[in-house]
Amino acid sequence: MKHYLWAIIWAILVLILISSPMPDVTDSRHSFPGIDKLVHTGFFFVFTVLMFFGSLMNGNEPNLISWPNVVVLLSASIFAIGTELVQKFFTDNRQFEYWDIFADHVGIGMGYFAYLVLVLAIKKTKI
């Protein structure tokens, strides 16, 4: 479990940030349409990479597909949906959005892709 510490810390930080009031972004010099979706994608890319890092550090063999990979992807997906439910039921200043869940899953997919690139690089060096 200790190898997942960074992922847990990141998840707590994400929960704090998604529960906080949104800053006023009416000044278009400091923001652009869709920045929210990029933030969601980035949050879950980092979370997924940290989860895969923990999985590898736990001694799981780097494979393209395995049960530990499925657990990481399922955990990230549940966390993504959970963050939107937190916004819907536990905050007054945030709202549930299906597009946020989609952006979260884009980040999860990017994290898995990064892991796959690493796995292929590791396997290539062993040949």
Side-chain angles (χ1 to χ4, degrees), residues 2-62:
K2 71 177 183 175
H3 298 297
Y4 293 101
L5 181 62
W6 288 112
I8 293 167
I9 291 169
W10 184 257
I12 292 168
L13 178 65
V14 167
L15 282 172
I16 290 168
L17 291 173
I18 63 111
S19 301
S20 302
M22 284 187 64
D24 183 20
V25 291
T26 55
D27 185 1
S28 63
R29 293 178 298 157
H30 302 296
S31 184
F32 58 89
I35 184 109
D36 173 52
K37 304 309 177 248
L38 287 176
V39 169
H40 276 267
T41 301
F43 279 166
F44 282 87
F45 170 77
V46 172
F47 179 72
T48 305
V49 167
L50 291 173
M51 288 290 287
F52 276 118
F53 173 76
S55 178
L56 290 173
M57 294 304 291
N58 260 356
N60 293 323
E61 186 68 28

Side-chain angles (χ1 to χ4, degrees), residues 48-105:
T48 305
V49 167
L50 291 173
M51 288 290 287
F52 276 118
F53 173 76
S55 178
L56 290 173
M57 294 304 291
N58 260 356
N60 293 323
E61 186 68 28
N63 290 313
L64 297 178
I65 189 72
S66 63
W67 280 114
N69 294 2
V70 171
V71 170
V72 166
L73 294 172
L74 189 60
S75 299
S77 184
I78 290 169
F79 182 53
I81 294 166
T83 58
E84 286 305 305
L85 293 174
V86 165
Q87 288 181 341
K88 181 176 184 175
F89 294 114
F90 298 107
T91 65
D92 295 328
N93 52 359
R94 298 287 184 123
Q95 58 192 19
F96 180 94
E97 290 185 35
Y98 288 107
W99 285 112
D100 286 348
I101 294 173
F102 177 78
D104 297 344
H105 281 84

